[in-house]
Amino acid sequence: MCGFREDLLGKVIGFNGHVLYQPFGGKMGDYDAAAAELSTVRNVVRVRPILEGQAMAMMGDNGTFALVRGIKADDLRAQELVSSNIVLGSLDKFGDGDDDIVIGQRLAERYGLEIGSDVTLMSPRGRITAFGTVPRIQQFTVIAIFEVGEFNYDSNYFFVPLETAQIYFQYGDQVGGL
């Protein structure tokens, strides 16, 4: 394998894993039991429950498309591609608060964000009212900034605690996949 291909493939797999299991219908309950069972399969190294959703990220007067990944704190710390490439802040307290968010370096540079900056996520999937759908809006505080060296990851991905993502995206006690 040539160096560029190996590097790119390593980043894609390091960020997303080799396999993504998504149940029919998009939501999965009892995910901890399923993850434990899949972890017993030969050659399986790690299984992480995740929930991904799309939102608009607002930073002051600026906005951008966001891919929001809800992940357990221990799983994010174990995801070496991200955890070993934290350039500012720390993952030590990730998950302690329900407003924690981890962003990429390119996004931070583009919008002048730093540790303690506020990011507001707005999801079009909101509450249905008599006046139409009201978007879900929640403010987060940047606690860490990562740089994995792949532009799309460093500029579009946002990590929030799994429980926060479940509430924000209205998943209850379910996830989107393993």
Side-chain angles (χ1 to χ4, degrees):
M1 202 182 311
C2 72
F4 174 75
R5 183 172 187 267
E6 185 176 342
D7 185 51
L8 181 61
L9 190 58
K11 288 176 183 171
V12 170
I13 291 172
F15 206 83
N16 296 308
H18 283 87
V19 175
L20 174 62
Y21 169 76
Q22 292 180 298
F24 183 74
K27 293 183 180 180
M28 170 185 220
D30 203 17
Y31 52 88
D32 284 328
E37 185 174 337
L38 285 172
S39 294
T40 66
V41 174
R42 190 169 152 240
N43 295 326
V44 170
V45 176
R46 185 172 296 113
V47 180
R48 295 181 193 113
I50 61 168
L51 190 165
E52 286 189 343
Q54 298 175 358
M56 174 65 88
M58 302 298 295
M59 291 80 48
D61 293 334
N62 300 305
T64 189
F65 169 76
L67 290 167
V68 182
R69 181 175 287 180
I71 187 169
K72 291 181 176 182
D74 289 339
D75 289 339
L76 184 58
R77 288 184 200 103
Q79 189 172 347
E80 284 187 37
L81 184 65
V82 175
S83 64
S84 64
N85 288 296
I86 298 295
V87 294
L88 288 172
S90 167
L91 295 178
D92 292 343
K93 296 195 183 281
F94 180 77
D96 289 355
D98 59 358
D99 66 342
D100 295 342
I101 196 163
V102 177
I103 64 171
Q105 176 67 23
R106 298 292 165 256
L107 181 88
E109 288 173 356
R110 186 178 329 141
Y111 297 107
L113 302 174
E114 54 193 32
I115 302 306
S117 292
D118 292 328
V119 174
T120 302
L121 295 181
M122 184 170 55
S123 172
R125 295 178 132 193
R127 263 188 4 254
I128 298 173
T129 69
F131 303 104
T133 302
V134 176
R136 295 186 65 79
I137 299 172
Q138 184 171 347
Q139 187 169 330
F140 294 86
T141 302
V142 176
I143 66 160
I145 299 173
F146 65 88
E147 183 175 23
V148 299
E150 204 288 313
F151 183 80
N152 288 325
Y153 298 145
D154 291 341
S155 51
N156 295 319
Y157 268 86
F158 298 70
F159 291 98
V160 299
L162 180 60
E163 299 79 19
T164 301
Q166 289 171 319
I167 294 167
Y168 182 75
F169 289 111
Q170 301 174 328
Y171 266 60
D173 190 28
Q174 298 178 339
V175 297
L178 301 172

